[in-house]
Amino acid sequence: MRAVPATCVSGGVDALDRSPTAIALVRDRCPRRRARFGACADGRLLPPATLIRPAMLEPLRRIVQAVNHASALEDALGIIVREVKVAAAADVCSVYLTDFDAREHVLLASDGLRPESVGRVRLPLNRGLIGWVAERADTVNLDDGPAHARYLLVEETGEERFRGFLGVPIIQNRKVLGVLVLRQREARRFSDDAVTFVITLAAQLAAAIALARNTGELGRIHQHGGDLPSRYFAGRAASPGIAFGTAFVVYPPADLDAVPDKPVVDIDAEITAFRAALEGVSGDTARLASRIGAGLRHEDLALFEAWRLMLESESLIDDTVARIREGNWAQGALRQTIAEHVRVFDRMDDAYLRERGADVRDLGRQVLMRLQNRGAPQAAYPERTVLVGEEISAMQIADVPRRSLTGIVSTGGSSSSHMAILARGMGIPAAMGVAGLPVNRIEGRAVVLDGYRGRVYVSPSPSVRGEYERLARDDRELSAELEVLRGLPSETTDGYGMPLYLNTGLVSEQRPLGIEESAGVGLYRTELPFLIRDRFPGEETQMANYRQVLQMFAPRPVTIRTLDIGGDKPLPYFPVEETNPFLGWRGIRITRDHPELFMTQVRAMLRAAVGLHNLQLLLPMITTVDEIDDALLLIRRAHDDLLEEGHDVCMPPVGAMIEVPAAVYQAEALARRVSFLSVGSNDLTQYLLAVDRNNAHVAALYDDLHPAVLRALVDVVKGARVYGREVSVCGEMAGDPLAAVLLLGIGVHSLSMGAGSLLRVKGVIRSLSLTRARELLRLALKCETGEEIRRLLVDALEDVGLGGLVRPGR
């Protein structure tokens, strides 16, 4: 057949027609249409009315609205083919969706082709014009489709009557889910207006298809009944492991947002009721902590201590009482106070601290339930319960009998939430942020939870369940092998020691089993005690907090980071409003401008360490050597002042955090001034890659195995080595068994992580030699992508029988 040139424009636009990105992609790929785009004085593109003629704007809005309100994918597809055919003046509109399991393009909707062919016609993957569009991920516009070399005639559709062909890929997250096709009897290309119109609608259809794929609806359409397909709902891995069980859906116990303002009748009675509710919730919290506390590590039990501190917070109590005195009843006053506190946390860019807003919200609900004289309903939990909800609280987790709880799934939250932290501490597999999960439709359904990759299978097929049962057996065997490592040194097969430390932000008064597994605390965050008060805590209060953690771990070292607040972590009583807090006034920049805050905290740390001699002090967000020089001057002044006052204090080792690229390139100069360097890999990766990992649009680009991140770490260790300084890593990278191999090869001296990662990382370190780690680093530095590096490391762990640490490897 004679090949006919095609007009190709990007099919990867996944936004509404109003998106400047969508306009720019179409404009830049189609030079003939560039003149159609104007620009404002500030360089912004004009709205898409300049791209789509007014006559087509109303059909576009109508179709988008109808698709968004469609109750099922089949309805959405029917709307698309009917309405687009009319709006684009085409003779045929069809939708082919990709069945990735069968490797076929399936005709699932059409207006213009023979009705009996819908659902029956299946084209081999990447064959014919449909396959060509999918293969290119580009729009194809032909004046004579049947004359093209890639044309594949399917007689049962009756398509041989049509000449003009327009195919637009349906793309979601850079994956072609299907092809939207227009055909016409006349041998001519479709107009630019029609092309732009269809591109916009394909982007809308992509979201509906992705949701249907996740919910299993698309699989049922493909299979016409039978077992649910081997599809899954994708989220974020929050706690490793594989779980089987029955979905038990939980909901918020009380709705704060539904509470109205109401004039107070008896102020004293309302205040008394409020204080009684606080005491009741405090008692509930203590009982839950006692119920599930056995065997939990100190930082997991400390979560309950955090709730107690919040319940006793002067700002929570005083603000609510003040609002009651101003005339609002207790429930309304509580709602206002909780909302104000939550807003403070929600504005924070630090993932760990932002999740504390969920804790405040949950405590508010518990107090409200008490005010409404309602107790938590008694639930009949399945024998093997997978707890499912949109926002699950730690109290709801604690309410499930420990012997029954097998997994936790939430559509919200992150790996920094108290839910995730508790799940890891309890050894319960968990997934967070599971988008598209139909929570209201899965009660009582069988569930398989993959906590390694954040995947949830609802009513899984026998083949999926069988595969995961095999993996679970492997998991149990690996866990038994790791348990043998308790108490053994963290060292390589050739005797090189790599100490493993804990990251934490609170400690409890108890000393549970398992605390001895760590070499100390590599990062103690000091922000939370500041965040739950209505004023800066005084020196005595801070000293008591620091003394507690220093005593608990003595004589092992405890690295305490000085206050790291700012626009991303504002205090209620010290607001910092900035348009870009990541690049703003935060960390050492604030304490440098407010030396009185810094001096109070440092004095408290030095006094807390008297007689213990295990304090190490860490300075956050260092960018220049001047910041180090100024901080050291203040620390020495605090030390000298305390000596003069009669306190037997010692000057502790002081370290600098490497979190910004500037610090990487000044590592040698910083090392000359401090005793050690500590890499905050989370922030460093975000700054190096210009990626906010909490932004769903770019989170997939976050990769701490990116070659640029590895080379930055090599430079840091090289600079520190000039002055014989040790380098630690305290971000999530440190707790990743894959990354630990490279950090060992780079020459990092210690790693600091959550308690749940200690044995897994130790297992890797004790299975490799330092020589092998250096060889793997040499190979990794030759790679050009993070994915290449990841494959290299997975293969290396498989070779030593530790592939299960990065499950599932299939």
Side-chain angles (χ1 to χ4, degrees):
M1 294 184 181
R2 180 175 58 88
V4 180
T7 300
C8 299
V9 299
S10 170
V13 180
D14 58 355
L16 283 167
D17 62 298
R18 289 177 171 80
S19 164
T21 302
I23 303 169
L25 279 172
V26 176
R27 176 199 62 189
D28 295 341
R29 286 291 194 91
C30 228
R32 290 189 303 139
R33 289 204 298 274
R34 284 179 184 166
R36 306 275 311 270
F37 292 82
C40 299
D42 61 0
R44 290 182 294 108
L45 291 171
L46 289 173
T50 60
L51 177 63
I52 301 175
R53 287 186 299 180
M56 302 192 78
L57 282 176
E58 183 53 38
L60 177 62
R61 293 190 184 96
R62 186 179 65 251
I63 296 171
V64 168
Q65 185 176 30
V67 169
N68 288 340
H69 286 87
S71 60
L73 177 63
E74 287 179 290
D75 295 336
L77 296 179
I79 293 167
I80 286 282
V81 296
R82 289 193 305 272
E83 298 291 339
V84 172
K85 174 184 173 183
V86 173
D91 296 314
V92 176
C93 181
S94 307
V95 176
Y96 294 79
L97 296 190
T98 306
D99 185 339
F100 293 98
D101 291 339
R103 296 182 60 79
E104 295 174 326
H105 303 293
V106 185
L107 176 62
L108 283 185
S110 182
D111 188 333
L113 297 180
R114 290 172 182 162
E116 61 270 21
S117 66
V118 174
R120 298 179 58 184
V121 168
R122 292 172 171 262
L123 307 177
L125 195 69
N126 297 338
R127 291 285 304 278
L129 292 180
I130 308 302
W132 192 43
V133 173
E135 182 181 359
R136 295 167 57 92
D138 258 357
T139 294
V140 173
N141 191 2
L142 303 173
D143 55 11
D144 193 350
H148 196 276
R150 291 291 294 264
Y151 180 73
L152 178 67
L153 176 63
V154 182
E155 292 183 354
E156 61 186 291
T157 66
E159 65 184 44
E160 64 273 8
R161 298 169 290 162
F162 306 104
R163 308 284 296 278
F165 175 92
L166 173 64
V168 175
I170 303 168
I171 299 177
Q172 180 86 347
N173 294 329
R174 296 188 291 180
K175 190 173 188 177
V176 179
L177 304 180
V179 180
L180 180 56
V181 177
L182 294 184
R183 301 177 191 264
Q184 55 191 356
R185 289 185 174 85
E186 188 179 345
R188 62 175 175 83
R189 289 184 177 87
F190 283 85
S191 69
D192 288 348
D193 286 327
V195 172
T196 306
F197 181 77
V198 176
I199 286 175
T200 305
L201 289 172
Q204 294 299 301
L205 187 55
I209 294 170
L211 178 61
R213 187 176 297 279
N214 283 337
T215 60
E217 179 189 356
L218 184 56
R220 290 190 292 275
I221 294 173
H222 283 325
Q223 297 183 1
H224 302 288
D227 286 335
L228 281 171
S230 304
R231 300 293 181 196
Y232 54 84
F233 298 90
R236 288 192 172 189
S239 181
I242 297 167
F244 306 88
T246 302
F248 185 91
V249 180
V250 293
Y251 300 94
D255 188 357
L256 275 166
D257 294 333
V259 173
D261 289 333
K262 190 182 290 187
V264 66
V265 177
D266 186 333
I267 291 177
D268 291 337
E270 290 293 303
I271 292 174
T272 299
F274 170 63
R275 292 187 182 276
L278 290 177
E279 291 178 7
V281 174
S282 182
D284 292 343
T285 301
R287 284 189 290 274
L288 288 172
S290 175
R291 176 175 172 177
I292 71 169
L296 283 183
R297 300 172 177 90
H298 76 284
E299 67 269 26
D300 303 320
L301 280 174
L303 301 181
F304 294 97
E305 179 71 6
W307 295 333
R308 184 185 65 78
L309 290 173
M310 290 179 189
L311 287 168
E312 297 174 358
S313 165
E314 293 177 356
S315 58
L316 172 63
I317 297 171
D318 293 349
D319 289 358
T320 304
V321 169
R323 288 184 167 100
I324 294 173
R325 293 193 185 280
E326 289 170 2
N328 205 352
W329 66 322
Q331 294 185 35
L334 174 68
R335 186 204 74 236
Q336 292 174 318
T337 301
I338 293 298
E340 181 180 291
H341 282 65
V342 167
R343 279 195 297 271
V344 171
F345 284 98
D346 285 348
R347 288 198 300 267
M348 298 177 182
D349 286 321
D350 182 280
Y352 177 84
L353 292 173
R354 187 170 55 249
E355 285 293 347
R356 304 295 70 82
D359 301 330
V360 173
R361 199 159 29 235
D362 182 52
L363 282 176
R365 293 184 186 124
Q366 300 294 329
V367 175
L368 177 62
M369 222 169 36
R370 284 276 178 171
L371 284 170
Q372 294 174 342
N373 295 315
R374 294 191 292 120
Q378 294 298 313
Y381 295 102
E383 183 178 352
R384 298 179 62 82
T385 297
V386 175
L387 207 60
V388 179
E390 294 180 354
E391 189 175 290
I392 301 175
S393 75
M395 289 186 177
Q396 287 171 320
I397 294 173
D399 193 53
V400 183
R402 181 64 184 84
R403 65 182 180 277
S404 300
L405 185 60
T406 63
I408 303 169
V409 177
S410 175
T411 60
S414 73
S415 59
S416 301
S417 68
H418 270 169
M419 187 216 81
I421 295 170
L422 264 186
R424 290 193 291 269
M426 298 169 69
I428 301 293
M432 302 291 294
V434 184
L437 185 69
V439 171
N440 59 342
R441 304 210 313 263
I442 65 172
E443 175 76 28
R445 303 280 289 275
V447 170
V448 171
L449 167 60
D450 178 350
Y452 292 102
R453 295 192 292 185
R455 293 181 175 181
V456 180
Y457 296 80
V458 179
S459 298
S461 66
S463 60
V464 168
R465 186 178 182 90
E467 175 65 7
Y468 271 101
E469 285 174 345
R470 181 187 68 78
L471 290 169
R473 286 193 298 271
D474 294 346
D475 233 19
R476 289 190 291 272
E477 294 173 3
L478 179 61
S479 295
E481 293 173 11
L482 291 179
E483 282 297 317
V484 177
L485 301 180
R486 288 195 182 275
L488 296 179
S490 176
E491 60 182 25
T492 62
T493 57
D494 49 359
Y496 179 81
M498 171 71 91
L500 305 181
Y501 292 85
L502 284 174
N503 292 338
T504 187
L506 279 171
V507 294
S508 66
E509 297 175 357
Q510 304 179 47
R511 186 180 177 87
L513 296 173
I515 192 174
E516 282 75 20
E517 192 59 36
S518 69
V521 174
L523 175 64
Y524 180 78
R525 307 177 188 92
T526 60
E527 291 77 41
L528 196 54
F530 285 78
L531 289 164
I532 59 178
R533 288 175 167 82
D534 61 356
R535 63 180 67 91
F536 286 105
E539 183 177 321
E540 296 297 326
T541 300
Q542 292 189 56
M543 188 197 72
N545 288 335
Y546 306 146
R547 182 75 179 180
Q548 191 176 6
V549 66
L550 289 166
Q551 281 182 322
M552 180 170 291
F553 283 86
R556 288 166 292 170
V558 174
T559 302
I560 303 182
R561 184 178 67 189
T562 59
L563 190 60
D564 187 14
I565 60 168
D568 62 327
K569 286 175 277 200
L571 302 177
Y573 46 88
F574 190 74
V576 178
E577 298 288 344
E578 294 183 305
T579 55
N580 192 343
F582 269 121
L583 303 181
W585 198 43
R586 55 173 291 198
I588 197 69
R589 297 170 181 176
I590 285 184
T591 51
R592 191 185 185 196
D593 290 345
H594 284 273
E596 74 281 6
L597 303 178
F598 187 74
M599 287 288 283
T600 299
Q601 186 175 36
V602 170
R603 282 174 58 92
M605 291 179 186
L606 297 179
R607 290 177 58 198
V610 170
L612 298 175
H613 309 293
N614 62 337
L615 169 67
Q616 296 192 145
L617 199 151
L618 184 60
L619 304 172
M621 193 66 181
I622 296 299
T623 307
T624 69
V625 294
D626 290 343
E627 293 167 341
I628 291 288
D629 292 338
D630 289 351
L632 289 174
L633 183 64
L634 292 175
I635 294 169
R636 292 190 186 98
R637 182 188 301 170
H639 172 264
D640 294 344
D641 288 348
L642 288 170
L643 285 178
E644 289 181 9
E645 294 169 18
H647 297 284
D648 187 19
V649 296
C650 296
M651 186 68 182
V654 178
M657 287 204 77
I658 307 296
E659 300 172 274
V660 300
V664 172
Y665 298 111
Q666 285 201 295
E668 182 178 333
L670 297 175
R672 181 163 62 86
R673 291 165 166 81
V674 297
S675 302
F676 64 95
L677 299 179
S678 181
V679 178
S681 65
N682 297 352
D683 273 348
L684 180 59
T685 301
Q686 291 191 114
Y687 283 126
L688 282 170
L689 304 185
V691 170
D692 176 2
R693 61 181 181 155
N694 297 307
N695 182 333
H697 296 292
V698 296
L701 299 176
Y702 180 93
D703 186 0
D704 52 19
L705 291 180
H706 190 287
V709 177
L710 297 185
R711 293 186 182 280
L713 292 170
V714 170
D715 287 347
V716 171
V717 172
K718 181 180 177 181
R721 190 177 293 128
V722 174
Y723 291 97
R725 305 296 190 238
E726 292 193 351
V727 177
S728 66
V729 175
C730 62
E732 289 184 7
M733 190 178 190
D736 179 358
L738 288 180
V741 175
L742 297 183
L743 296 175
L744 181 64
I746 287 172
V748 169
H749 299 86
S750 63
L751 305 175
S752 188
M753 64 201 71
S757 299
L758 286 170
L759 289 180
R760 304 170 67 79
V761 173
K762 183 190 285 188
V764 170
I765 292 171
R766 289 184 59 86
S767 300
L768 295 172
S769 67
L770 180 58
T771 301
R772 176 60 174 155
R774 287 172 174 167
E775 172 63 16
L776 288 170
L777 173 66
R778 185 185 66 81
L779 295 173
L781 291 175
K782 292 182 178 180
C783 297
E784 296 181 343
T785 68
E787 188 54 40
E788 288 180 63
I789 294 172
R790 194 165 279 103
R791 286 197 299 268
L792 170 70
L793 296 175
V794 169
D795 290 344
L797 291 191
E798 291 283 3
D799 289 344
V800 295
L802 292 177
L805 291 175
V806 287
R807 281 265 195 256
R810 61 187 190 286

